[in-house]
């Protein structure tokens, strides 16, 4: 299937909303990157930002990634993201998230929020007191819901299995995987990889969590910097983005990069540099779609079985993207992005219902 060249590598965001609530101290940005396929969907991140500009740039980049992710996962959602600046002093967490919930409510269904880095199911319950356009709530009656992290990890494993077979002609039981970051997703990924028989190297700043992984999985523990260039078959970045910069790519010993972190490439040209070094980079917005698939299932009322079917299909999509990239002489990152942009471009323009 030949691809039409995309001269426009991305689409401008449809709407950027900045907010500040004096009473709670809630300050942040909501970006609606695209609503062509449906409401802009993407989680809410709480992080310590040096200023408004840094928060806005993070939200813009994350929202574009969500637009690509949702399109590629064939979800009826556009892409959006919210970031909240972590207040400097003590603050009332429920009041902060209720203030954010009122901002979501004001968008009248054009944006659907859920958990992300620094937020929890309890935080989303606070948001839900102000708006119904929220997911990541406790599951009820066997329906999807709750922490989406295990679903993200499950999707990463499916993509990794396909990438390892393609690049190394091996199974997960034959390889060593270096996992950077043992948050909810990273730890769940280690559980699944350990069950599959993979050897593990891990990096995690919380020493007690790293020690638990060493004990439970027989994992070797390294510093985050050392892990990026460790002798491993697969590197799985599962912390924050931007880890694949020129220095890391030049020193990388892994043959496959496949992890859960968003925006792993420090700049767009890193995908080409990885390809030049014969490293298979599994596009992060394809690989880590399991969480948003679970969020979509919760919001749209799918069964748990339907969510699982769609998450398991992440591996198949990885195979399709690799085949497409090979046919067209492009990187998997370019192939995945082109497929996502084509789906967005073909969508009939419909207004999200309130």
């Amino acid at each position: 299937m030949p691809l039409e060249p995309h001269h426009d590598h991305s689409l401008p965001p449809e709407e950027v909303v900045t907010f500040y609530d004096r009473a709670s101290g809630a300050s942040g940005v909501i970006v609606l990157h695209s609503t062509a396929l449906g409401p802009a969907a993407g989680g809410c991140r709480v992080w310590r930002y040096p200023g408004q500009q840094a928060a806005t740039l993070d939200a813009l980049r994350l929202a574009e990634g969500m637009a690509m992710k949702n399109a590629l996962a064939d979800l009826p959602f556009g892409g959006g993201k919210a970031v909240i600046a972590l207040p400097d002093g003590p603050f009332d967490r429920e009041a902060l998230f209720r203030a954010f919930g009122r901002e979501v409510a004001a968008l009248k269904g054009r944006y659907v929020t859920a958990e992300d880095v620094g937020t929890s199911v309890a935080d989303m319950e606070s948001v839900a007191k102000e708006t119904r356009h929220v997911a990541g709530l406790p599951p009820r009656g066997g329906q999807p819901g709750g922490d989406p992290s295990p679903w993200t990890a499950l999707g990463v494993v499916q993509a990794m299995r396909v990438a390892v077979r393609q690049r190394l002609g091996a199974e997960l039981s034959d390889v060593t995987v270096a996992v950077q970051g043992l948050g909810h997703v990273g730890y769940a990924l280690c559980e699944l990889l350990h069950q599959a028989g993979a050897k593990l190297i891990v990096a995690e700043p919380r020493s007690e969590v790293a020690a638990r992984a060493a004990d439970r999985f027989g994992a070797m523990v390294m510093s985050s910097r050392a892990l990026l260039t460790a002798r491993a078959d697969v590197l799985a970045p599962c912390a924050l983005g931007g880890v694949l910069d020129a220095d890391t790519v030049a020193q990388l010993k892994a043959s496959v990069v496949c992890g859960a972190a968003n925006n792993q490439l420090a700049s767009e040209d890193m995908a080409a540099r990885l390809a030049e070094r014969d490293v298979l980079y599994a596009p992060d917005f394809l690989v880590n779609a399991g969480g948003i698939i679970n969020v979509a299932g919760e919001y749209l009322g799918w069964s748990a079985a339907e969510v699982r079917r769609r998450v398991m299909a992440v591996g198949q999509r990885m195979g399709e993207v690799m085949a497409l990239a090979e046919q067209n002489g492009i990187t998997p990152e370019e192939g995945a992005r082109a497929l996502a942009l084509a789906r967005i471009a073909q969508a009939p323009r419909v207004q999200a219902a309130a």
Side-chain angles (χ1 to χ4, degrees):
M1 172 191 164
L3 290 173
E4 291 298 315
H6 270 280
H7 303 295
D8 178 17
H9 215 52
S10 62
L11 301 166
E14 289 180 12
E15 190 172 349
V16 178
V17 177
T18 57
F19 61 89
Y20 173 65
D21 179 70
R22 185 182 295 277
S24 65
S27 169
V29 185
I30 302 172
V31 174
L32 281 64
H33 186 83
S34 166
T35 57
L37 295 169
C44 172
R45 171 171 295 194
V46 173
W47 195 248
R48 194 171 295 289
Y49 292 102
Q52 178 72 38
Q53 186 180 13
T56 302
L57 285 172
D58 198 29
L60 285 165
R61 194 168 182 208
L62 290 164
E64 183 185 4
M66 288 307 304
M68 301 295 120
K69 185 184 303 189
N70 293 340
L72 202 58
D74 204 22
L75 297 175
F77 285 115
K81 206 74 172 187
V83 304
I84 299 175
L86 187 67
D88 288 331
F91 65 98
D92 180 332
R93 198 166 180 99
E94 179 169 358
L96 181 121
F97 279 97
R98 289 191 71 160
F100 169 63
R102 291 191 290 275
E103 296 294 334
V104 174
L107 290 166
K108 296 181 165 46
R110 296 180 63 235
Y111 169 62
V112 179
T113 198
E115 294 94 338
D116 199 306
V117 174
T119 57
S120 67
V121 173
D123 296 330
M124 293 307 111
E125 289 184 285
S126 298
V127 173
K129 291 175 180 174
E130 302 290 346
T131 179
R132 63 188 179 88
H133 302 296
V134 54
L137 301 169
R140 286 181 302 204
Q143 293 296 105
D147 180 6
S149 301
W151 294 102
T152 305
L154 182 62
V156 174
V157 166
Q158 304 315 310
M160 191 183 293
R161 183 174 281 118
V162 171
V164 164
R165 283 176 183 160
Q166 173 85 6
R167 178 66 183 77
L168 299 169
E171 296 300 322
L172 291 178
S173 55
D174 305 321
V175 299
T176 298
V177 183
V179 180
Q180 184 197 39
L182 299 178
H184 291 302
V185 178
Y187 202 89
L189 178 61
C190 287
E191 289 269 13
L192 294 171
L193 290 170
H194 180 64
Q195 289 167 19
K199 292 186 181 68
L200 293 169
I201 306 171
V202 299
E204 166 56 49
R206 295 168 299 167
S207 55
E208 70 282 4
V209 179
R212 196 185 337 142
D215 183 52
R216 185 174 174 85
F217 311 125
M220 181 191 297
V221 178
M222 285 188 170
S223 73
S224 217
R225 182 171 289 278
L227 178 124
L228 289 171
T229 55
R231 291 196 177 280
D233 302 294
V234 182
L235 172 64
C238 294
L240 291 172
V243 293
L244 296 170
D245 57 19
D247 288 345
T248 303
V249 170
Q251 299 176 61
L252 202 62
K253 295 183 181 69
S255 300
V256 174
V257 177
C258 180
N262 286 312
N263 301 327
Q264 292 168 30
L265 303 177
S267 57
E268 282 186 12
D269 61 324
M270 288 304 123
R273 290 203 194 190
L274 286 162
E276 285 163 12
R277 294 210 58 221
D278 202 20
V279 176
L280 173 55
Y281 174 66
D284 50 49
F285 57 90
L286 184 165
V287 167
N288 64 16
I292 194 67
I293 292 170
N294 183 61
V295 164
E298 176 189 347
Y299 193 72
L300 299 169
W302 295 344
S303 67
E306 175 65 6
V307 168
R308 184 174 182 84
R309 183 189 72 76
R310 285 173 175 259
V311 173
M312 295 299 284
V314 169
Q316 180 186 334
R317 197 161 286 114
M318 181 70 211
E320 290 166 0
V321 163
M322 287 191 300
L324 190 67
E326 197 168 327
Q327 286 166 19
N328 288 273
I330 56 177
T331 65
E333 169 83 2
E334 289 172 307
R337 189 172 283 272
L339 282 177
L341 286 170
R343 181 158 186 256
I344 292 168
Q346 289 159 9
R349 295 278 155 177
V350 290
Q351 201 61 37

